Amino acid sequence: MTGAELKSPEDLLKERFGRVEKAIELGEPDRVPLIIFTCGDILRKYAKGYELYFNYDRAREVSVRFATEYPVDVFLAALAAEGFIFALAFSDYPDIAPSVRFWTGPMHDALGDKYTRWPGRELPEDSIFQFIGGQFMEAKEYCKLSDDPITFLNEVILPRSCLNLEKPNSEKANVALIRLGVEVSRYLKFLGDSAADLAKVGVPSLPLTFAYAPLDFIGDFLRYPTGALLDVRRHPDDVKRACEALVEPILKVALSLKPAGAKYAFIPLHLNEYLSPKLYNEFYWPTLKKIIVALYEQGIKSLVFFEGWHDPHLETILELPRGWGIAYFEKTDVRKAKKILGGHTCIMGGVPPSLLLEATPDKIKGYIKDILSEVKPGGGFILSPGVADIPMPVPPENLRALIDAVEEYGRY
Amino acid sequence: MSLADLIDAFVNLDENRVLGIVEKLLREGTDPSEILEACRKATTIIGERFERGEYFLSELVFASEIFNSVMRVVLPELKRETKPLGTIVLGTVQGDIHDIGKNIFKAFAEAAGFKVIDLGVDVPPERFVDAVRTHNPDIVGMSGLLTISYESMKKTVNALKEAGLRDRVRVIVGGGRMDEHVKRYVGADEWADNAMLGIRKCKEMLGLGG
Ligand code: B12
C-alpha cells in the first residue's frame, strides 16, 4: 500500500488495527479497512494442502509470505478444522477448553476423529482438509444431552465420534489424549509464533475467542445439518430444550479466552439460511441472541459470520444492543444490510470470490468503487471477501486490484 | 382419500399423512405413475412457494425427504417406466462433500421427470467422464460450494473436452456461489443457485421450455 514501506511495522500495526477498531465502533476511520480470512485455499499458491495442515513451520512461512505480498488491515489464516465439540466437552476447564477449539492434521492423527478428513491421510496430498460431520446422536437421546451436556458429550459422543477414544479408560484412549495434549502445545506455540511473524511485517491478527449457535452445534457435531432440520419438525420441544442447555457451556468456552485478551468472539452460522423467519425466531435466534448479548455484557463483541443468504432475518439483528459487534455477510448484499443496520451494526463483506476469480483488475476496481460509494458513508464498514477464503487460482493482479481499490476508493 | 388429498398433504409437508395416503392409494390399486404425477405437481407447488419466499430451504429439505420416502414405496410398484424428460449425470465435484443442495436438486429434478444418475460427492473428473460414456446423458450437472470447487469444475469440463465428449452434453453448474463469472471460468453452459432455477434451465437447454 502506498507509503506503507516508509512506516515501521509497529506504526503499521497500530494504524491498521486502529482502522478496524474504529469501524467496529461504528466510526469513520481514515479509510475502509480490508480484512482477509483463509482456511488455506489461497495459501495453496505456495504450499500443498498437506504441508499447510501438518507442518507448522511451513504454515508460518506461507502465511507471512502472503501477508507480505498482500498486506491488509487484518489477515487471519485458520489452518485447522472445526473442533468446537472438544472445547465444549471440556468447557469447565478454561485452561484447556479454548486450546482444543480447532483440530490440525496431527490432532486428527491423535484422535482418529470421524468428523474430519485430511490431505496425506484420507485425501490426496494437495487437497484442503474436509470437515464432513456426521450423525453421532440418536433423536431419542436429546433428553440426555439436555440434562447434562458435558457428561453426555464426554461419555457418549466422544467415544462414538473418535476412533481412538472408542473405549474410555483404555490404553489407546489415554494415549490418544496425551498425544492430543502434546500436539495442542505445539499448535499453541505455532499460533503465537504466527501472530508474531505477521506483527513483524505490520499485519495485525484479531484477538479472537469462539462461540457457536446452539442449533448449529447440534447440526454440525451431533445430528448432521439435515438431521437437526428434520428434528425441528419431528421433535421441536426436545430441540428447544437442548439449545437452551447448550448456552451456558458455550459461554464458558467463549469467556475462557477473555483473561488472555480476547476481544471478539467468532461465531460462524450454518443453519440460518435454511430456516424460515418463523423457525429461525423460534429455534435458532433466541439462544444465539442470548450468547451474543451475554458476551457483549462481558466486554466481548461478536464477529458473526452470517453464512449464506441471511436476508429474511436481517431485521432481527436490530434486537441486539447498538455496537454489539460485526455482522460478516456472505450472500446478503452489504448495501441492503447497510441500509437496514447502518449506525447500529458494523458490517463486513462485499467481495464475491467469483469476481476475484474471473473478472479483470479494472472490473474489480470498478465493482469496489461502486459498492464503496454506497456503503462507505457514515463508517461502520469493513471490506472483505464474502466466503472467508479466496480461490487459489485468483490471479495476483486481481488480488492487487482489490488492495489498490480500497486504497483508492476507501478513503474518508 | 384421493390424489388431490395427496397433493394437499405433500404441499403442506405433512409427512405421516402423505405416507398414509400413498399406502392406501396403492392398496386400492391406483396406478403408481399417477401417484408420481401427483408428487410432481406437489413439488412444483412447493418450488413456487420457495421462489415466492413462502417456503425456505428447510422446507425443501423436508420435501425431498418426503419425496424420497414416497419413491421408496412407489418405485418397486411401477410397472412401466415413463419416458424421462432427459438424463442428468449429477455429482458434487472433487474435493467438495457438500451435498444437501445437490440432493434437493436431485429430488426435485426427478419429481419434474428427469432421470438422474447421482455420482455422490467428491467426484473426480474421470468419474464424470466415465459416467458420460456409460449413460450418455443429455446434461452434466456439477454441484459445489467451496472455493476449490471452481477449479474442480473447470478440470471436469476440460476432462470432458479431452475425452471428446463436451459437445455431446450440456453442462450446468449449481450451488450457492454460482454466477456468470463462475460459468465463464468453468466453461459451463448454464449456472443455477437454486434448484427451481436449475430445473428451468435444464428444461430450456433441452428445448423443453421453462
Ligand atoms: C451445511 C454446510 C456444511 C456441512 C455440509 C453437509 C453436507 N453434506 O452438505 C458441513 C458441516 C459438513 C460443512 C463442511 C465444510 N464447509 Co460448509 N457449509 C455449509 C453451509 C452452512 C450450508 C450449505 C448448504 O447446504 N446450503 C443449503 C443448500 C440447500 O444450498 P445449495 O447447496 O446452494 O443448493 C441449492 C442450489 O444451489 C441448488 N443446487 C445445488 N447443487 C446443484 C447442482 C445443480 C446441477 C443445480 C442445477 C443446482 C444445484 O439447489 C439447492 C436448493 O435450491 C454453507 C454456508 C451457506 N449458507 O451456504 C457452508 C459453506 C459451503 N462451507 C464452507 C466451508 C469452508 C466448509 C469446510 C471447509 C469447513 C471447514 N473449515 O471445515 C467444510 C468442507 C468440507 C468439504 N471438503 O466439502 C464454505 C465454502 C466457501 C469456502 N470458503 O470455500 C461455506 C460457503 C461457508 C463459508 N465459509 O462461507 N459445511
Side-chain angles (χ1 to χ4, degrees), chain A residues 41 44 117 130 230 233-234 274 276-277 312 330-331 354 358 393, chain B residues 15 56-59 62 95 100 147-148 151 176-177 179 181 184:
Chain A
D41 194 2
R44 292 188 306 133
R117 304 199 298 177
Q130 299 180 352
L230 298 174
R233 294 181 177 276
R234 293 172 180 157
Y274 285 90
S276 63
E330 201 215 323
K331 284 185 77 184
S354 57
E358 202 268 339
Chain B
E15 192 181 22
F56 291 77
L57 287 168
S58 86
E59 280 78 20
F62 204 46
I100 301 173
T147 51
I148 61 165
E151 221 179 316
R177 278 115 218 112
D179 55 24
H181 289 293
R184 279 198 298 267

PDB file of all heavy atoms in Angstrom, chain A residues 41 44 117 130 230 233-234 274 276-277 312 330-331 354 358 393, chain B residues 15 56-59 62 95 100 147-148 151 176-177 179 181 184:
ATOM      1  N   ASP A  41      -7.182 -22.159   1.264  1.00  0.00           N
ATOM      2  CA  ASP A  41      -7.260 -22.279  -0.200  1.00  0.00           C
ATOM      3  C   ASP A  41      -6.226 -21.373  -0.884  1.00  0.00           C
ATOM      4  O   ASP A  41      -5.396 -21.839  -1.660  1.00  0.00           O
ATOM      5  CB  ASP A  41      -8.679 -21.950  -0.684  1.00  0.00           C
ATOM      6  CG  ASP A  41      -8.884 -22.390  -2.131  1.00  0.00           C
ATOM      7  OD1 ASP A  41      -7.947 -22.979  -2.714  1.00  0.00           O
ATOM      8  OD2 ASP A  41      -9.975 -22.156  -2.685  1.00  0.00           O
ATOM      9  N   ARG A  44      -2.564 -22.255  -0.907  1.00  0.00           N
ATOM     10  CA  ARG A  44      -2.078 -23.342  -1.762  1.00  0.00           C
ATOM     11  C   ARG A  44      -1.313 -22.798  -2.967  1.00  0.00           C
ATOM     12  O   ARG A  44      -0.736 -23.560  -3.740  1.00  0.00           O
ATOM     13  CB  ARG A  44      -3.247 -24.239  -2.210  1.00  0.00           C
ATOM     14  CG  ARG A  44      -3.852 -25.041  -1.051  1.00  0.00           C
ATOM     15  CD  ARG A  44      -4.871 -26.052  -1.552  1.00  0.00           C
ATOM     16  NE  ARG A  44      -5.879 -25.390  -2.365  1.00  0.00           N
ATOM     17  CZ  ARG A  44      -6.294 -25.834  -3.560  1.00  0.00           C
ATOM     18  NH1 ARG A  44      -5.815 -26.940  -4.062  1.00  0.00           N
ATOM     19  NH2 ARG A  44      -7.217 -25.170  -4.227  1.00  0.00           N
ATOM     20  N   ARG A 117     -11.431 -35.163   7.500  1.00  0.00           N
ATOM     21  CA  ARG A 117     -10.554 -35.966   6.649  1.00  0.00           C
ATOM     22  C   ARG A 117      -9.432 -35.058   6.162  1.00  0.00           C
ATOM     23  O   ARG A 117      -9.652 -33.867   5.920  1.00  0.00           O
ATOM     24  CB  ARG A 117     -11.332 -36.513   5.449  1.00  0.00           C
ATOM     25  CG  ARG A 117     -12.551 -37.326   5.874  1.00  0.00           C
ATOM     26  CD  ARG A 117     -13.047 -38.220   4.768  1.00  0.00           C
ATOM     27  NE  ARG A 117     -13.486 -37.435   3.609  1.00  0.00           N
ATOM     28  CZ  ARG A 117     -13.909 -37.996   2.470  1.00  0.00           C
ATOM     29  NH1 ARG A 117     -13.933 -39.305   2.357  1.00  0.00           N
ATOM     30  NH2 ARG A 117     -14.307 -37.248   1.467  1.00  0.00           N
ATOM     31  N   GLN A 130     -11.124 -31.656   4.974  1.00  0.00           N
ATOM     32  CA  GLN A 130     -12.578 -31.678   4.888  1.00  0.00           C
ATOM     33  C   GLN A 130     -13.211 -31.907   6.252  1.00  0.00           C
ATOM     34  O   GLN A 130     -12.915 -32.900   6.906  1.00  0.00           O
ATOM     35  CB  GLN A 130     -13.050 -32.805   3.956  1.00  0.00           C
ATOM     36  CG  GLN A 130     -12.553 -32.664   2.543  1.00  0.00           C
ATOM     37  CD  GLN A 130     -13.042 -33.782   1.646  1.00  0.00           C
ATOM     38  OE1 GLN A 130     -13.624 -34.747   2.096  1.00  0.00           O
ATOM     39  NE2 GLN A 130     -12.790 -33.632   0.355  1.00  0.00           N
ATOM     40  N   LEU A 230     -34.654 -31.767  10.400  1.00  0.00           N
ATOM     41  CA  LEU A 230     -35.819 -32.649  10.498  1.00  0.00           C
ATOM     42  C   LEU A 230     -36.288 -32.744  11.950  1.00  0.00           C
ATOM     43  O   LEU A 230     -37.486 -32.802  12.227  1.00  0.00           O
ATOM     44  CB  LEU A 230     -35.500 -34.036   9.931  1.00  0.00           C
ATOM     45  CG  LEU A 230     -35.139 -34.048   8.426  1.00  0.00           C
ATOM     46  CD1 LEU A 230     -34.701 -35.440   7.976  1.00  0.00           C
ATOM     47  CD2 LEU A 230     -36.297 -33.566   7.562  1.00  0.00           C
ATOM     48  N   ARG A 233     -38.774 -30.278  13.091  1.00  0.00           N
ATOM     49  CA  ARG A 233     -40.175 -30.604  12.800  1.00  0.00           C
ATOM     50  C   ARG A 233     -40.694 -31.763  13.623  1.00  0.00           C
ATOM     51  O   ARG A 233     -41.834 -31.754  14.085  1.00  0.00           O
ATOM     52  CB  ARG A 233     -40.333 -30.977  11.334  1.00  0.00           C
ATOM     53  CG  ARG A 233     -40.068 -29.813  10.477  1.00  0.00           C
ATOM     54  CD  ARG A 233     -40.238 -30.142   9.017  1.00  0.00           C
ATOM     55  NE  ARG A 233     -40.021 -28.903   8.307  1.00  0.00           N
ATOM     56  CZ  ARG A 233     -40.958 -28.003   8.127  1.00  0.00           C
ATOM     57  NH1 ARG A 233     -42.184 -28.226   8.539  1.00  0.00           N
ATOM     58  NH2 ARG A 233     -40.677 -26.873   7.519  1.00  0.00           N
ATOM     59  N   ARG A 234     -39.832 -32.773  13.799  1.00  0.00           N
ATOM     60  CA  ARG A 234     -40.329 -34.001  14.427  1.00  0.00           C
ATOM     61  C   ARG A 234     -40.238 -33.982  15.948  1.00  0.00           C
ATOM     62  O   ARG A 234     -41.012 -34.631  16.627  1.00  0.00           O
ATOM     63  CB  ARG A 234     -39.551 -35.205  13.892  1.00  0.00           C
ATOM     64  CG  ARG A 234     -39.818 -35.473  12.417  1.00  0.00           C
ATOM     65  CD  ARG A 234     -38.893 -36.545  11.878  1.00  0.00           C
ATOM     66  NE  ARG A 234     -39.134 -36.823  10.476  1.00  0.00           N
ATOM     67  CZ  ARG A 234     -38.230 -37.370   9.657  1.00  0.00           C
ATOM     68  NH1 ARG A 234     -37.027 -37.697  10.117  1.00  0.00           N
ATOM     69  NH2 ARG A 234     -38.514 -37.588   8.397  1.00  0.00           N
ATOM     70  N   TYR A 274     -31.213 -21.813   6.088  1.00  0.00           N
ATOM     71  CA  TYR A 274     -32.232 -22.821   5.830  1.00  0.00           C
ATOM     72  C   TYR A 274     -33.601 -22.439   6.386  1.00  0.00           C
ATOM     73  O   TYR A 274     -34.609 -22.927   5.932  1.00  0.00           O
ATOM     74  CB  TYR A 274     -31.851 -24.130   6.530  1.00  0.00           C
ATOM     75  CG  TYR A 274     -30.746 -24.910   5.891  1.00  0.00           C
ATOM     76  CD1 TYR A 274     -29.421 -24.694   6.239  1.00  0.00           C
ATOM     77  CD2 TYR A 274     -31.025 -25.896   4.961  1.00  0.00           C
ATOM     78  CE1 TYR A 274     -28.403 -25.442   5.679  1.00  0.00           C
ATOM     79  CE2 TYR A 274     -30.017 -26.651   4.393  1.00  0.00           C
ATOM     80  CZ  TYR A 274     -28.716 -26.425   4.755  1.00  0.00           C
ATOM     81  OH  TYR A 274     -27.721 -27.165   4.206  1.00  0.00           O
ATOM     82  N   SER A 276     -37.014 -20.641   7.858  1.00  0.00           N
ATOM     83  CA  SER A 276     -37.977 -19.567   7.648  1.00  0.00           C
ATOM     84  C   SER A 276     -37.899 -18.649   8.861  1.00  0.00           C
ATOM     85  O   SER A 276     -37.463 -19.078   9.931  1.00  0.00           O
ATOM     86  CB  SER A 276     -39.382 -20.149   7.548  1.00  0.00           C
ATOM     87  OG  SER A 276     -39.713 -20.779   8.772  1.00  0.00           O
ATOM     88  N   PRO A 277     -38.334 -17.383   8.704  1.00  0.00           N
ATOM     89  CA  PRO A 277     -38.312 -16.490   9.868  1.00  0.00           C
ATOM     90  C   PRO A 277     -39.008 -17.112  11.070  1.00  0.00           C
ATOM     91  O   PRO A 277     -38.545 -16.973  12.199  1.00  0.00           O
ATOM     92  CB  PRO A 277     -39.055 -15.250   9.370  1.00  0.00           C
ATOM     93  CG  PRO A 277     -38.794 -15.241   7.900  1.00  0.00           C
ATOM     94  CD  PRO A 277     -38.754 -16.681   7.479  1.00  0.00           C
ATOM     95  N   PRO A 312     -33.783 -12.787   4.992  1.00  0.00           N
ATOM     96  CA  PRO A 312     -35.077 -12.825   5.691  1.00  0.00           C
ATOM     97  C   PRO A 312     -34.964 -12.512   7.191  1.00  0.00           C
ATOM     98  O   PRO A 312     -35.964 -12.221   7.832  1.00  0.00           O
ATOM     99  CB  PRO A 312     -35.552 -14.279   5.507  1.00  0.00           C
ATOM    100  CG  PRO A 312     -34.707 -14.857   4.440  1.00  0.00           C
ATOM    101  CD  PRO A 312     -33.437 -14.088   4.410  1.00  0.00           C
ATOM    102  N   GLU A 330     -22.260 -12.928   3.726  1.00  0.00           N
ATOM    103  CA  GLU A 330     -21.753 -13.677   2.595  1.00  0.00           C
ATOM    104  C   GLU A 330     -22.569 -13.401   1.346  1.00  0.00           C
ATOM    105  O   GLU A 330     -22.149 -12.657   0.485  1.00  0.00           O
ATOM    106  CB  GLU A 330     -21.769 -15.164   2.949  1.00  0.00           C
ATOM    107  CG  GLU A 330     -20.828 -15.948   2.106  1.00  0.00           C
ATOM    108  CD  GLU A 330     -21.337 -17.328   1.790  1.00  0.00           C
ATOM    109  OE1 GLU A 330     -21.972 -17.958   2.630  1.00  0.00           O
ATOM    110  OE2 GLU A 330     -21.090 -17.757   0.655  1.00  0.00           O
ATOM    111  N   LYS A 331     -23.768 -13.988   1.239  1.00  0.00           N
ATOM    112  CA  LYS A 331     -24.577 -13.754   0.041  1.00  0.00           C
ATOM    113  C   LYS A 331     -25.519 -12.562   0.197  1.00  0.00           C
ATOM    114  O   LYS A 331     -26.032 -12.048  -0.779  1.00  0.00           O
ATOM    115  CB  LYS A 331     -25.379 -15.013  -0.309  1.00  0.00           C
ATOM    116  CG  LYS A 331     -24.526 -16.074  -0.957  1.00  0.00           C
ATOM    117  CD  LYS A 331     -25.353 -17.253  -1.407  1.00  0.00           C
ATOM    118  CE  LYS A 331     -26.125 -16.956  -2.699  1.00  0.00           C
ATOM    119  NZ  LYS A 331     -26.990 -18.104  -3.048  1.00  0.00           N
ATOM    120  N   SER A 354     -16.101 -15.226  -6.784  1.00  0.00           N
ATOM    121  CA  SER A 354     -16.141 -15.455  -8.229  1.00  0.00           C
ATOM    122  C   SER A 354     -15.659 -14.228  -8.991  1.00  0.00           C
ATOM    123  O   SER A 354     -15.075 -14.339 -10.063  1.00  0.00           O
ATOM    124  CB  SER A 354     -17.568 -15.799  -8.651  1.00  0.00           C
ATOM    125  OG  SER A 354     -18.442 -14.769  -8.256  1.00  0.00           O
ATOM    126  N   GLU A 358     -12.595 -14.361 -11.775  1.00  0.00           N
ATOM    127  CA  GLU A 358     -12.818 -14.320 -13.216  1.00  0.00           C
ATOM    128  C   GLU A 358     -12.753 -12.927 -13.823  1.00  0.00           C
ATOM    129  O   GLU A 358     -12.472 -12.771 -15.012  1.00  0.00           O
ATOM    130  CB  GLU A 358     -14.167 -14.982 -13.512  1.00  0.00           C
ATOM    131  CG  GLU A 358     -14.340 -15.505 -14.914  1.00  0.00           C
ATOM    132  CD  GLU A 358     -14.971 -14.474 -15.845  1.00  0.00           C
ATOM    133  OE1 GLU A 358     -15.627 -13.537 -15.343  1.00  0.00           O
ATOM    134  OE2 GLU A 358     -14.801 -14.621 -17.056  1.00  0.00           O
ATOM    135  N   PRO A 393      -6.697 -20.159  -7.638  1.00  0.00           N
ATOM    136  CA  PRO A 393      -6.307 -19.668  -8.962  1.00  0.00           C
ATOM    137  C   PRO A 393      -6.548 -18.177  -9.202  1.00  0.00           C
ATOM    138  O   PRO A 393      -6.322 -17.718 -10.322  1.00  0.00           O
ATOM    139  CB  PRO A 393      -7.190 -20.497  -9.923  1.00  0.00           C
ATOM    140  CG  PRO A 393      -7.923 -21.480  -9.108  1.00  0.00           C
ATOM    141  CD  PRO A 393      -7.862 -21.051  -7.697  1.00  0.00           C
TER     142      PRO A 393
ATOM    143  N   GLU B  15     -45.828 -35.220   6.561  1.00  0.00           N
ATOM    144  CA  GLU B  15     -45.146 -36.469   6.233  1.00  0.00           C
ATOM    145  C   GLU B  15     -46.018 -37.718   6.472  1.00  0.00           C
ATOM    146  O   GLU B  15     -46.202 -38.549   5.565  1.00  0.00           O
ATOM    147  CB  GLU B  15     -43.877 -36.563   7.092  1.00  0.00           C
ATOM    148  CG  GLU B  15     -42.909 -37.628   6.696  1.00  0.00           C
ATOM    149  CD  GLU B  15     -41.695 -37.650   7.632  1.00  0.00           C
ATOM    150  OE1 GLU B  15     -41.798 -37.151   8.784  1.00  0.00           O
ATOM    151  OE2 GLU B  15     -40.648 -38.168   7.215  1.00  0.00           O
ATOM    152  N   PHE B  56     -38.787 -22.060   2.674  1.00  0.00           N
ATOM    153  CA  PHE B  56     -37.339 -21.859   2.769  1.00  0.00           C
ATOM    154  C   PHE B  56     -36.620 -23.190   2.561  1.00  0.00           C
ATOM    155  O   PHE B  56     -37.256 -24.213   2.333  1.00  0.00           O
ATOM    156  CB  PHE B  56     -36.999 -21.205   4.109  1.00  0.00           C
ATOM    157  CG  PHE B  56     -37.475 -19.785   4.176  1.00  0.00           C
ATOM    158  CD1 PHE B  56     -38.820 -19.509   4.387  1.00  0.00           C
ATOM    159  CD2 PHE B  56     -36.602 -18.728   3.963  1.00  0.00           C
ATOM    160  CE1 PHE B  56     -39.284 -18.197   4.386  1.00  0.00           C
ATOM    161  CE2 PHE B  56     -37.062 -17.417   3.969  1.00  0.00           C
ATOM    162  CZ  PHE B  56     -38.405 -17.152   4.184  1.00  0.00           C
ATOM    163  N   LEU B  57     -35.294 -23.152   2.694  1.00  0.00           N
ATOM    164  CA  LEU B  57     -34.540 -24.377   2.415  1.00  0.00           C
ATOM    165  C   LEU B  57     -34.958 -25.532   3.313  1.00  0.00           C
ATOM    166  O   LEU B  57     -34.989 -26.678   2.893  1.00  0.00           O
ATOM    167  CB  LEU B  57     -33.046 -24.116   2.549  1.00  0.00           C
ATOM    168  CG  LEU B  57     -32.436 -23.290   1.406  1.00  0.00           C
ATOM    169  CD1 LEU B  57     -31.032 -22.838   1.769  1.00  0.00           C
ATOM    170  CD2 LEU B  57     -32.418 -24.098   0.118  1.00  0.00           C
ATOM    171  N   SER B  58     -35.265 -25.239   4.577  1.00  0.00           N
ATOM    172  CA  SER B  58     -35.630 -26.348   5.464  1.00  0.00           C
ATOM    173  C   SER B  58     -36.882 -27.046   4.940  1.00  0.00           C
ATOM    174  O   SER B  58     -37.016 -28.258   5.063  1.00  0.00           O
ATOM    175  CB  SER B  58     -35.790 -25.888   6.910  1.00  0.00           C
ATOM    176  OG  SER B  58     -37.073 -25.403   7.156  1.00  0.00           O
ATOM    177  N   GLU B  59     -37.798 -26.284   4.319  1.00  0.00           N
ATOM    178  CA  GLU B  59     -38.988 -26.898   3.723  1.00  0.00           C
ATOM    179  C   GLU B  59     -38.575 -27.762   2.521  1.00  0.00           C
ATOM    180  O   GLU B  59     -39.136 -28.828   2.296  1.00  0.00           O
ATOM    181  CB  GLU B  59     -40.002 -25.832   3.293  1.00  0.00           C
ATOM    182  CG  GLU B  59     -40.865 -25.289   4.442  1.00  0.00           C
ATOM    183  CD  GLU B  59     -40.139 -24.273   5.314  1.00  0.00           C
ATOM    184  OE1 GLU B  59     -39.129 -23.707   4.846  1.00  0.00           O
ATOM    185  OE2 GLU B  59     -40.556 -24.059   6.466  1.00  0.00           O
ATOM    186  N   PHE B  62     -37.119 -30.964   3.777  1.00  0.00           N
ATOM    187  CA  PHE B  62     -38.186 -31.831   4.255  1.00  0.00           C
ATOM    188  C   PHE B  62     -38.965 -32.431   3.082  1.00  0.00           C
ATOM    189  O   PHE B  62     -39.284 -33.617   3.069  1.00  0.00           O
ATOM    190  CB  PHE B  62     -39.107 -31.036   5.189  1.00  0.00           C
ATOM    191  CG  PHE B  62     -39.856 -31.884   6.161  1.00  0.00           C
ATOM    192  CD1 PHE B  62     -39.201 -32.875   6.876  1.00  0.00           C
ATOM    193  CD2 PHE B  62     -41.205 -31.697   6.376  1.00  0.00           C
ATOM    194  CE1 PHE B  62     -39.886 -33.668   7.788  1.00  0.00           C
ATOM    195  CE2 PHE B  62     -41.904 -32.477   7.285  1.00  0.00           C
ATOM    196  CZ  PHE B  62     -41.250 -33.471   7.984  1.00  0.00           C
ATOM    197  N   GLY B  95     -13.150 -32.825  -4.158  1.00  0.00           N
ATOM    198  CA  GLY B  95     -12.698 -32.011  -3.029  1.00  0.00           C
ATOM    199  C   GLY B  95     -13.842 -31.461  -2.200  1.00  0.00           C
ATOM    200  O   GLY B  95     -13.640 -30.935  -1.119  1.00  0.00           O
ATOM    201  N   ILE B 100     -26.169 -31.438   0.452  1.00  0.00           N
ATOM    202  CA  ILE B 100     -27.570 -31.229   0.822  1.00  0.00           C
ATOM    203  C   ILE B 100     -28.298 -30.565  -0.352  1.00  0.00           C
ATOM    204  O   ILE B 100     -29.387 -30.981  -0.743  1.00  0.00           O
ATOM    205  CB  ILE B 100     -27.672 -30.375   2.102  1.00  0.00           C
ATOM    206  CG1 ILE B 100     -26.936 -31.079   3.253  1.00  0.00           C
ATOM    207  CG2 ILE B 100     -29.129 -30.137   2.457  1.00  0.00           C
ATOM    208  CD1 ILE B 100     -26.824 -30.259   4.518  1.00  0.00           C
ATOM    209  N   THR B 147     -14.637 -22.802  -2.431  1.00  0.00           N
ATOM    210  CA  THR B 147     -13.849 -22.019  -3.384  1.00  0.00           C
ATOM    211  C   THR B 147     -12.984 -22.944  -4.249  1.00  0.00           C
ATOM    212  O   THR B 147     -12.720 -22.635  -5.399  1.00  0.00           O
ATOM    213  CB  THR B 147     -12.960 -20.977  -2.669  1.00  0.00           C
ATOM    214  OG1 THR B 147     -12.219 -21.645  -1.644  1.00  0.00           O
ATOM    215  CG2 THR B 147     -13.774 -19.873  -2.052  1.00  0.00           C
ATOM    216  N   ILE B 148     -12.563 -24.093  -3.693  1.00  0.00           N
ATOM    217  CA  ILE B 148     -11.757 -25.006  -4.518  1.00  0.00           C
ATOM    218  C   ILE B 148     -12.600 -25.704  -5.589  1.00  0.00           C
ATOM    219  O   ILE B 148     -12.059 -26.304  -6.506  1.00  0.00           O
ATOM    220  CB  ILE B 148     -11.045 -26.097  -3.684  1.00  0.00           C
ATOM    221  CG1 ILE B 148     -12.065 -26.971  -2.938  1.00  0.00           C
ATOM    222  CG2 ILE B 148     -10.060 -25.516  -2.703  1.00  0.00           C
ATOM    223  CD1 ILE B 148     -11.431 -28.272  -2.420  1.00  0.00           C
ATOM    224  N   GLU B 151     -12.275 -24.700  -9.364  1.00  0.00           N
ATOM    225  CA  GLU B 151     -11.161 -25.347 -10.057  1.00  0.00           C
ATOM    226  C   GLU B 151     -11.550 -26.767 -10.490  1.00  0.00           C
ATOM    227  O   GLU B 151     -11.284 -27.175 -11.618  1.00  0.00           O
ATOM    228  CB  GLU B 151     -10.054 -25.470  -9.016  1.00  0.00           C
ATOM    229  CG  GLU B 151      -8.661 -25.200  -9.395  1.00  0.00           C
ATOM    230  CD  GLU B 151      -7.832 -25.384  -8.108  1.00  0.00           C
ATOM    231  OE1 GLU B 151      -8.256 -24.891  -7.029  1.00  0.00           O
ATOM    232  OE2 GLU B 151      -6.785 -26.042  -8.202  1.00  0.00           O
ATOM    233  N   GLY B 176     -24.662 -22.573  -4.132  1.00  0.00           N
ATOM    234  CA  GLY B 176     -24.958 -21.234  -3.636  1.00  0.00           C
ATOM    235  C   GLY B 176     -24.052 -20.120  -4.128  1.00  0.00           C
ATOM    236  O   GLY B 176     -24.430 -18.953  -4.101  1.00  0.00           O
ATOM    237  N   ARG B 177     -22.852 -20.459  -4.592  1.00  0.00           N
ATOM    238  CA  ARG B 177     -21.941 -19.380  -5.011  1.00  0.00           C
ATOM    239  C   ARG B 177     -21.704 -19.360  -6.516  1.00  0.00           C
ATOM    240  O   ARG B 177     -20.649 -18.982  -6.983  1.00  0.00           O
ATOM    241  CB  ARG B 177     -20.597 -19.473  -4.281  1.00  0.00           C
ATOM    242  CG  ARG B 177     -20.677 -18.853  -2.925  1.00  0.00           C
ATOM    243  CD  ARG B 177     -20.497 -19.848  -1.814  1.00  0.00           C
ATOM    244  NE  ARG B 177     -21.364 -19.539  -0.703  1.00  0.00           N
ATOM    245  CZ  ARG B 177     -22.381 -20.316  -0.352  1.00  0.00           C
ATOM    246  NH1 ARG B 177     -22.654 -21.407  -0.997  1.00  0.00           N
ATOM    247  NH2 ARG B 177     -23.153 -19.965   0.658  1.00  0.00           N
ATOM    248  N   ASP B 179     -22.425 -18.056 -10.351  1.00  0.00           N
ATOM    249  CA  ASP B 179     -22.907 -16.876 -11.060  1.00  0.00           C
ATOM    250  C   ASP B 179     -22.276 -16.862 -12.454  1.00  0.00           C
ATOM    251  O   ASP B 179     -21.616 -17.821 -12.846  1.00  0.00           O
ATOM    252  CB  ASP B 179     -22.587 -15.582 -10.282  1.00  0.00           C
ATOM    253  CG  ASP B 179     -21.091 -15.443  -9.953  1.00  0.00           C
ATOM    254  OD1 ASP B 179     -20.267 -16.040 -10.661  1.00  0.00           O
ATOM    255  OD2 ASP B 179     -20.758 -14.732  -8.987  1.00  0.00           O
ATOM    256  N   HIS B 181     -19.763 -15.229 -13.574  1.00  0.00           N
ATOM    257  CA  HIS B 181     -18.300 -15.330 -13.510  1.00  0.00           C
ATOM    258  C   HIS B 181     -17.864 -16.789 -13.473  1.00  0.00           C
ATOM    259  O   HIS B 181     -16.964 -17.199 -14.189  1.00  0.00           O
ATOM    260  CB  HIS B 181     -17.761 -14.647 -12.249  1.00  0.00           C
ATOM    261  CG  HIS B 181     -17.866 -13.160 -12.278  1.00  0.00           C
ATOM    262  ND1 HIS B 181     -17.139 -12.379 -13.143  1.00  0.00           N
ATOM    263  CD2 HIS B 181     -18.601 -12.311 -11.528  1.00  0.00           C
ATOM    264  CE1 HIS B 181     -17.439 -11.106 -12.925  1.00  0.00           C
ATOM    265  NE2 HIS B 181     -18.318 -11.034 -11.954  1.00  0.00           N
ATOM    266  N   ARG B 184     -18.412 -18.692 -16.737  1.00  0.00           N
ATOM    267  CA  ARG B 184     -17.377 -18.404 -17.739  1.00  0.00           C
ATOM    268  C   ARG B 184     -16.060 -19.067 -17.365  1.00  0.00           C
ATOM    269  O   ARG B 184     -15.387 -19.657 -18.195  1.00  0.00           O
ATOM    270  CB  ARG B 184     -17.176 -16.891 -17.877  1.00  0.00           C
ATOM    271  CG  ARG B 184     -18.204 -16.224 -18.762  1.00  0.00           C
ATOM    272  CD  ARG B 184     -17.722 -14.851 -19.223  1.00  0.00           C
ATOM    273  NE  ARG B 184     -17.520 -13.949 -18.103  1.00  0.00           N
ATOM    274  CZ  ARG B 184     -18.467 -13.104 -17.663  1.00  0.00           C
ATOM    275  NH1 ARG B 184     -19.649 -13.056 -18.242  1.00  0.00           N
ATOM    276  NH2 ARG B 184     -18.231 -12.308 -16.632  1.00  0.00           N
TER     277      ARG B 184
END
